[in-house]
Amino acid sequence: MSTKGTVKGIISNLVIVTVDGPVLQNEICYILTGGTSLMAEVIKVIGNDAYVQVFESTRGLKVGSEAEFTGHMLEVQLGPGLLSRNLDGLENDLDKMEGVFLRRGQYTSPLDETKKWSFQPIAKVGDTVEAAAWLGEVDENHQPHKIMVPFVFKGSYKVKNIVPAGDYTVNDTIAVLTAEDGHEEIVTMVQRWPVKKAVTAYREKPRPFRLLETGVRIIDIANPIVEGGTGFIPGPFGTGKTVLQHAISKQAEADIVIMAACGERANEVVEIFTEFPELVDPHTGRKLMERTIIVANTSNMPVAAREASVYTAMTIAEYYRSMGLKVLLMADSTSRWAQALREMSNRLEELPGQDAFPMDLSAIISAFYGRAGYVYLNNGTTGSITFIGTVSPAGGNLKEPVTEGTKKAARCFYALEQARADRKRYPAVNPIDSYSKYIEYPEFEQYISKLIAPDWIPMVNEMKTLMQRGKEVQEQINILGDDGVPLDYHLTFWKSEIVDFVILQQDAFDKIDAVCPIERQEYMMRKVMGLVRTDFHFDSFPEVMDYFKRMINALRQMNYSEFQSGDFKKYENEVDAIVAERKTVK
């Protein structure tokens, strides 16, 4: 018999319920008010009182209202038909909702229960299978969607029977499995999994090492992210977080893209809904939306659902990873998720940490980032979740708790800087403060040496040193004036500017420059590093500036030209002619 309860206190969306039986931490309950059932999650239990966070507005809720507990945690439905969906944080299908505004107490299934899928069996009668083993596959928007043994199954099972190839709905029986103790389990195309628990149905989770090519030079060259890696993009308002996210999600070598818009402004989320269906996938030529799932929770939706949305998105990502697919998960913005945690912590009157965030904020962020990764599945194939979150620090302060906590968890740090954005240097990623810890991994070094060249990482480090020296020279010029520093300093500064303008800056709205394949990146990097290693002869600093501006202009025209085309070669010859003018012959 399910546990029931009565509302005895309401603090905004924190409701205290007196219960008449056992309740679980993170259990879901429904509170009845005015003919609607409001969904809520248990976040704390003291004696007979369960503190629950309601995923809806609690306006009109009265003390004395009845609550009914379900006996399970917040779960998501997993099955074919999730791709191209617009979901909210509780996995309701937004396209099935009626009216302009979400109705209180209205919950919809994310899957189409009437659609028939063309099923092809993989497992055979008599096979021994375990959780996440592949039983068969259906084609979902040109992706091989595996029908798996549900993740909740424990131990090994024998396949008693499996349906032949044919068309079935998601709720039709696909297979019957016999457990070790003899009882039988029916498997359909749908399974459920609690969002707060990581899916661990894989054999091994090694350190990731394969480069995830994004086509964005400042990422791929200076601070590479890997398949199954973690990164985050902090930056104040207007520094280009959304444009950078769109570029990565559109261009990265991923099979599935999941966008979790948790707590962003409603107009920004509407932009995602309107822009994503129009974007063309550069890998397939079809619409990018075909392999995308959007989990949206805007800032004017209830704060508790905002917290759930990132977990919902991660669980869906883990489901697709178990099929041996490469998943890219983008969360925008994890600051709003942390604010939801702070709000609930404050209402529970817990001891506050820095800036009133929960004391264990850093541990919560680390546990969440830890769910991403590169895995070897039980059948030997690989799958990955690459997670990139954005952080919106108040006033652009990168020392605030969410940024600091994320820094400890994420391996790549792309610091967007207001000063670079103001100077229209996009992507406005600070090349000195940003980093990728994957460069230090011996496995990555080995991989990149084979993929590009053995001298690649030393050359990248040389470029970063030049950028650091260029910054120091710029500060000295600002203090002492142009005449106050030697000519060599001007040369160092302008050489760092070549790297900045030609390698680190990129035009996301130019058809050619928006996506830069790795062969082109290597070619341009060698060209630029060859130039900065060259000795030039000058008599005065005004000559240096004019000369390097001409060179930068010709190099940028190369970036805007089709690789190795006639125009590309023409501008390259122009660069070589400019170099020959002042090159010091030894």
Side-chain angles (χ1 to χ4, degrees):
M1 194 176 122
S2 63
T3 301
K4 290 192 167 40
T6 311
V7 173
K8 82 164 204 184
I10 304 161
I11 312 162
S12 186
N13 73 319
L14 176 70
V15 175
I16 304 159
V17 180
T18 303
V19 295
D20 64 4
V23 290
L24 293 161
Q25 174 78 356
N26 296 110
E27 186 177 349
I28 292 297
C29 72
Y30 288 93
I31 301 170
L32 307 171
T33 174
T36 58
S37 300
L38 304 183
M39 192 177 184
E41 178 187 29
V42 176
I43 53 174
K44 187 176 178 180
V45 182
I46 301 175
N48 289 339
D49 290 343
Y51 291 72
V52 302
Q53 61 171 345
V54 183
F55 294 121
E56 303 271 12
S57 164
T58 52
R59 191 173 295 164
L61 186 62
K62 298 185 183 76
V63 168
S65 297
E66 285 182 13
E68 192 165 335
F69 292 78
T70 59
H72 64 76
M73 294 161 73
L74 177 62
E75 296 175 333
V76 285
Q77 267 186 303
L78 303 167
L82 287 173
L83 292 185
S84 307
R85 286 272 178 265
N86 299 320
L87 309 170
D88 79 348
L90 305 174
E91 215 201 13
N92 296 306
D93 188 345
L94 293 174
D95 299 326
K96 289 181 187 168
M97 299 271 184
E98 295 160 14
V100 179
F101 295 101
L102 299 181
R103 292 227 189 114
R104 227 168 45 147
Q106 187 189 2
Y107 307 111
T108 59
S109 168
L111 304 176
D112 184 343
E113 293 175 359
T114 56
K115 181 177 176 179
K116 293 213 164 186
W117 297 89
S118 179
F119 175 81
Q120 292 290 333
I122 293 173
K124 300 183 294 296
V125 172
D127 284 358
T128 302
V129 292
E130 57 192 322
W134 301 347
L135 296 172
E137 106 179 14
V138 300
D139 179 68
E140 182 190 15
N141 293 359
H142 309 283
Q143 294 291 347
H145 186 114
K146 302 288 188 288
I147 306 304
M148 295 176 276
V149 176
F151 301 141
V152 292
F153 283 20
K154 293 197 166 47
S156 60
Y157 293 77
K158 277 264 191 302
V159 179
K160 186 183 176 187
N161 59 48
I162 188 159
V163 294
D167 295 344
Y168 305 92
T169 66
V170 289
N171 292 322
D172 287 342
T173 300
I174 293 301
V176 178
L177 309 179
T178 310
E180 289 166 332
D181 62 3
H183 80 272
E184 292 181 355
E185 297 277 6
I186 287 171
V187 178
T188 66
M189 292 192 200
V190 184
Q191 58 169 308
R192 290 177 170 276
W193 183 258
V195 297
K196 297 273 174 86
K197 273 180 78 176
V199 176
T200 54
Y202 47 78
R203 194 175 70 211
E204 195 190 342
K205 192 176 183 183
R207 285 207 307 198
F209 63 93
R210 294 169 63 91
L211 175 73
L212 180 79
E213 207 182 312
T214 63
V216 180
R217 287 190 293 269
I218 197 162
I219 294 178
D220 292 353
I221 293 176
N223 306 298
I225 191 161
V226 294
E227 252 177 58
T230 53
F232 80 114
I233 308 170
F237 179 74
T239 49
K241 287 195 293 289
T242 309
V243 175
L244 188 56
Q245 268 203 323
H246 279 207
I248 295 169
S249 50
K250 183 177 166 185
Q251 295 154 204
E253 296 279 329
D255 300 313
I256 308 287
V257 179
I258 301 175
M259 297 286 292
C262 56
E264 273 306 289
R265 294 174 188 83
N267 56 342
E268 288 187 23
V269 179
V270 168
E271 270 178 33
I272 293 176
F273 283 141
T274 51
E275 284 176 20
F276 257 70
E278 301 304 314
L279 292 177
V280 174
D281 185 344
H283 302 296
T284 62
R286 296 190 298 272
K287 291 284 186 233
L288 180 66
M289 195 64 201
E290 278 187 11
R291 58 184 181 94
T292 302
I293 302 166
I294 297 172
V295 180
N297 254 91
T298 63
S299 50
N300 51 359
M301 285 180 178
V303 76
R306 192 190 300 178
E307 190 224 341
S309 61
V310 290
Y311 289 104
T312 299
M314 181 59 86
T315 308
I316 294 170
E318 287 173 331
Y319 175 62
Y320 280 98
R321 175 174 68 183
S322 302
M323 299 176 198
L325 297 174
K326 292 184 276 192
V327 184
L328 175 67
L329 173 56
M330 313 285 278
D332 190 7
S333 121
T334 53
S335 293
R336 310 275 194 275
W337 166 50
Q339 283 165 10
L341 295 171
R342 173 169 68 181
E343 212 158 302
M344 291 320 300
S345 173
N346 294 351
R347 286 180 191 151
L348 287 168
E349 297 178 3
E350 291 174 348
L351 194 64
Q354 192 187 348
D355 287 6
F357 281 104
M359 295 283 269
D360 58 348
L361 177 70
S362 190
I364 294 169
I365 292 171
S366 293
F368 184 75
Y369 272 78
R371 287 174 68 171
Y374 182 82
V375 299
Y376 287 104
L377 304 174
N378 294 325
N379 60 8
T381 54
T382 62
S384 64
I385 297 172
T386 309
F387 177 57
I388 300 176
T390 65
V391 179
S392 316
N397 170 26
L398 298 186
K399 293 278 179 277
E400 54 88 52
V402 185
T403 311
E404 286 292 315
T406 312
K407 248 184 172 178
K408 291 172 193 163
R411 299 265 144 243
C412 293
F413 174 56
Y414 303 116
L416 290 175
E417 187 184 49
Q418 191 71 59
R420 272 183 82 79
D422 292 344
R423 283 149 65 206
K424 300 287 179 278
R425 297 191 172 200
Y426 290 109
V429 176
N430 182 316
I432 293 159
D433 292 350
S434 304
Y435 60 76
S436 166
K437 290 183 181 168
Y438 295 113
I439 283 188
E440 299 159 15
Y441 288 8
E443 307 97 306
F444 178 75
E445 218 168 311
Q446 228 174 338
Y447 176 80
I448 214 81
S449 297
K450 282 186 190 151
L451 182 74
I452 304 175
D455 66 338
W456 183 253
I457 289 178
M459 188 158 64
V460 170
N461 290 334
E462 185 188 339
M463 178 195 85
K464 287 183 170 181
T465 306
L466 177 65
M467 292 306 297
Q468 178 68 47
R469 288 188 58 210
K471 185 189 174 196
E472 289 162 5
V473 168
Q474 188 182 15
E475 285 165 0
Q476 286 186 307
I477 292 172
N478 287 347
I479 296 164
L480 303 171
D482 286 331
D483 297 329
V485 296
L487 205 54
D488 289 359
Y489 281 40
H490 285 282
L491 263 172
T492 302
F493 170 69
W494 278 101
K495 282 179 177 180
S496 75
E497 287 289 87
I498 291 182
V499 172
D500 196 340
F501 275 97
V502 182
I503 302 293
L504 305 183
Q505 289 179 49
Q506 200 167 345
D507 190 342
F509 298 99
D510 181 81
K511 202 166 94 217
I512 293 163
D513 199 30
V515 190
C516 193
I518 210 80
E519 304 79 39
R520 181 173 186 144
Q521 290 185 28
E522 186 195 358
Y523 189 89
M524 290 307 290
M525 179 74 166
R526 291 195 184 283
K527 184 84 191 164
V528 167
M529 292 312 289
L531 294 175
V532 300
R533 289 167 183 159
T534 306
D535 292 325
F536 297 98
H537 169 71
F538 294 98
D539 298 319
S540 66
F541 75 82
E543 287 178 359
V544 179
M545 185 170 70
D546 294 343
Y547 178 77
F548 277 102
K549 278 186 175 175
R550 280 170 55 211
M551 192 187 289
I552 287 169
N553 190 40
L555 284 161
R556 290 190 81 169
Q557 294 307 317
M558 284 174 74
N559 278 346
Y560 293 132
S561 307
E562 201 77 58
F563 189 44
Q564 301 296 17
S565 65
D567 279 352
F568 185 88
K569 294 268 177 37
K570 182 184 90 178
Y571 290 118
E572 190 171 13
N573 292 337
E574 198 178 307
V575 171
D576 294 341
I578 295 169
V579 171
E581 287 174 26
R582 291 195 174 266
K583 187 176 177 181
T584 307
V585 181
K586 288 182 180 175

